[in-house]
Amino acid sequence: MNDWQHNDTPVSSTMLDAWRVDSGVPPEDLDLPDGWEMVIGLEVHVELATRTKMFSPARNHFGGEPNTMVHPVCLGLPGTLPVVNGRAVELSIRVGLALNCTVQRCVFARKNYFYPDMPKDYQISQYDRPLNINGWIELPSGHRIGIERAHMEEDTGKSTHVGESGRIHDAGYSLVDYNRAGVPLLEIVSHPDIRGPEEAKAYVAELQAIVVAVGASDGKFEEGSMRVDANVSVRPAGSDELRTRCEIKNVNSLRSLGRAIQYEARRHVDLYRAGDRPVQETRHWDEEGGRTRAGRSKEQAEDYRYFADPDLVPVDPSPTWVEEIRAALPPLPRARRQALIDAGGDPASCAIAVERDLDGLALAVSAAGGDVPRSLVHIVNNLVVDGAADLDPTGFVELVRMEAGGELTSTQAKQILGEMVSSGRGPAELAVEHGFEAMDSGDLESMLDAIIADHPDEWQRFVDGEAKLQGVFTGQIMKATQGKADGKVVAQLLAQKKAIATP
Ligand code: MN
């Protein structure tokens, strides 16, 4: 590198970056020091589950042989003209409404840049007139994250750089697959309302649940159906300033998203504390190194020269159509959580039940007048297994009734539930098969009286206050009943008998 080039290189974070890595700061030290907070905004690209592409009749499907799902429009051949996919517009409106956005007349724009995976040399997107604006998402925590916009665009092709690092600069050659070129995308841009990695993950998880619920996308990270870019900056806690942000590109799992944000925020704080500042730039998450790395600088970023696409007319959804789409929306995760909370569930368990798509089981218990909190204990703790989604609600309702009525102990109920999932059989017949018949509390009491009569000294010490002897009596009765006694009922009986015996 020549000297003049060196001098021209903009002052960047690279040197301090190196210092951070050389100092070997372990990941657990990435927490921000007191007095700092994170400011995070997310841009999420969602591939829409249409049959065909955004502007052509080529098939929209993941995983085909390269370049088998293309059309002259996808290849940008001269003389071709795009035609808007009405289904993609409808799915985009569904998501917009589910995100509490205003749906408006919108205009497609050309975003001009050169890259081989985009043979037209422009991407059709939306710029100053996006379809959906001004919405919000409410997270299970109750915190609302603002949505600035959710606009339609087309995906680009996929390039594979063939070389040791898989990066373009040391590739021997590159391959391009245009199957993805022209796949309909919705880009959802949040306000910088997110305050930490856990909240960022919760936001993306909620967004994923919403796009899947409304049938707009399969929401699969692993197939690139959802791709997240994170804008990260930091500021003194409690201030409302917006400092220089860095954009972390294409993080491809929720776990990586959290790690990338944590690393990047800490890097910014360290720069400020060293008297430096971050530069606005695009950065990439290095999963193995556990750090972000500088990409291109936004200060030198290309000008996209946006202008309205003259080949496409504006899309102006009629209020009637929008209201029809709104009326047909399925219950959304937030409403489903609220329904369970209204039925008597605690908010944390209700959030897990909806996330696992098992809230229908707890609602069935509620509809039958059953014990909803007890049903949620099973859903949260005992149904994290394959096949739980196929569990028969009637059988589940019956199981919870038997348990609440004392016919089954909680341990027995858990065992039977597992067998219901694996065998598809009902709880009553399984209980009989295991000999888990109802243990009458009258029977238990006479057995307990016999045990007390056999152990007069221990009983007297228990009555006098030697609490650990409770375990001895409980153990004796469990032995006598072969474990069928309900521990809670035994404890109640012991307490009653002790109260009577106490002078
Ligand atoms: Mn985009």
Side-chain angles (χ1 to χ4, degrees), residues 45 111 123 151 153 187:
H45 285 86
K111 180 181 183 179
Q123 178 189 27
H151 66 258
E153 59 185 32
E187 178 175 342

Side-chain angles (χ1 to χ4, degrees), residues 327-341:
L329 286 179
L332 297 171
R334 175 167 166 264
R336 287 165 59 184
R337 289 194 294 268
Q338 192 56 52
L340 265 194
I341 290 168

Side-chain angles (χ1 to χ4, degrees), residues 298-334:
K298 270 274 161 89
E299 286 167 341
Q300 304 156 330
E302 53 270 76
D303 174 0
Y304 292 124
R305 295 169 292 126
Y306 279 101
F307 62 92
D309 193 314
D311 291 340
L312 290 159
V313 294
V315 172
D316 193 1
S318 74
T320 322
W321 189 36
V322 172
E323 288 318 308
E324 273 171 27
I325 294 171
R326 191 195 304 277
L329 286 179
L332 297 171
R334 175 167 166 264

Side-chain angles (χ1 to χ4, degrees), residues 168-192:
I168 194 166
H169 51 77
D170 62 4
Y173 58 95
S174 293
L175 300 168
V176 190
D177 176 8
Y178 290 109
N179 283 350
R180 200 179 70 179
V183 165
L185 289 179
L186 191 67
E187 178 175 342
I188 299 149
V189 182
S190 86
H191 284 292

